[in-house]
Amino acid sequence: MPKRSRQLLVWLHVITSVGWMGLTLVLFALFTFGLSTETPGMRDSADAMAHLLDKQVLAHLANASAFTGFMLSALTQWGYFRHWWVLVKFVITVVQLALGIFVLVPVVAGINVAATALMCSAIAFQAWLSVAKPGKRTPWTPTGKVPTGPAWMFGVALVVPVIDFAVGFGLFGHPMPVVSLLVVVGYAMRHKPKDLKIVSRQR
């Protein structure tokens, strides 16, 4: 059961990450078309479609991808601070989420083109990091074998994105990953990973 739950969580992380990257390419194409077309109505339609997809599809995929990635790190031997490639992915993901929230705005099409191109490139780079796993371990890597998280927590991690989607889309009409945030922070605080303890002691 733990192996199957972990495999399902990896699967969910992969498909949401691929979906996130695919939607950034779609948004890039729509924003680029909006800048290049000379027909005002077509420009407005392309911009409106891009922001609709961003709000109703891409944001949910991005939230689910980020959440499942964070939980896979927390629940497995990879951790947050034990390997440089994981730490780099963690930082890039946080920056991407901030970029998507604060930069993709309806009034600045040129910035949106650059932002979506940068976001797509960042996701592609993260995919390469996951495959190649370059670099050595960080100085904060704990000694000894790190235990895997409980099987039931993998199951929780699979359900949380669905709950967030249902609450955000069904009740509020926009993404609201409150449960994801609570689970990530709550698990980190309650089951503080050994590498987080080491980082805390070295500060």
Side-chain angles (χ1 to χ4, degrees):
M1 181 62 182
K3 183 178 180 181
R4 180 61 58 85
S5 298
R6 178 174 174 173
Q7 289 175 339
L8 287 173
L9 189 59
V10 171
W11 168 79
L12 182 59
H13 178 63
V14 170
I15 62 170
T16 52
S17 299
V18 171
W20 187 4
M21 182 176 180
L23 261 293
T24 59
L25 288 172
V26 173
L27 264 61
F28 174 78
L30 288 170
F31 286 131
T32 302
F33 174 78
L35 282 177
S36 62
T37 184
E38 298 181 356
T39 306
M42 293 292 291
R43 184 184 305 118
D44 293 341
S45 297
D47 187 70
M49 181 61 70
H51 286 284
L52 177 65
L53 289 173
D54 177 42
K55 179 181 177 181
Q56 301 294 355
V57 184
L58 184 144
H60 294 289
L61 291 171
N63 291 335
S65 173
F67 171 75
T68 52
F70 292 156
M71 293 308 298
L72 281 170
S73 294
L75 293 169
T76 64
Q77 74 277 9
W78 297 117
Y80 290 120
F81 303 103
R82 301 168 203 167
H83 303 267
W84 284 114
W85 68 272
V86 178
L87 181 57
V88 170
K89 284 189 65 176
F90 178 86
V91 172
I92 290 175
T93 299
V94 173
V95 172
Q96 284 175 301
L97 293 175
L99 184 71
I101 294 171
F102 298 110
V103 176
L104 290 179
V105 292
V107 294
V108 190
I111 292 179
N112 287 335
V113 170
T116 50
L118 181 62
M119 188 176 293
C120 184
S121 300
I123 298 171
F125 178 62
Q126 288 175 288
W128 177 80
L129 288 175
S130 296
V131 173
K133 298 178 176 60
K136 300 178 180 179
R137 294 191 175 191
T138 68
W140 313 294
T141 303
T143 57
K145 186 177 180 180
V146 179
T148 302
W152 64 267
M153 198 62 211
F154 284 92
V156 170
L158 286 167
V159 175
V160 165
V162 179
I163 296 174
D164 271 338
F165 175 79
V167 172
F169 186 78
L171 297 181
F172 298 98
H174 57 81
M176 185 168 285
V178 176
V179 180
S180 295
L181 182 62
L182 290 175
V183 171
V184 169
V185 175
Y187 186 83
M189 297 300 294
R190 184 174 176 84
H191 305 275
K192 196 172 186 180
K194 194 174 181 180
D195 52 349
L196 283 177
K197 295 177 183 177
I198 293 174
V199 172
S200 299
R201 287 200 299 268
Q202 291 184 353
R203 287 180 178 174

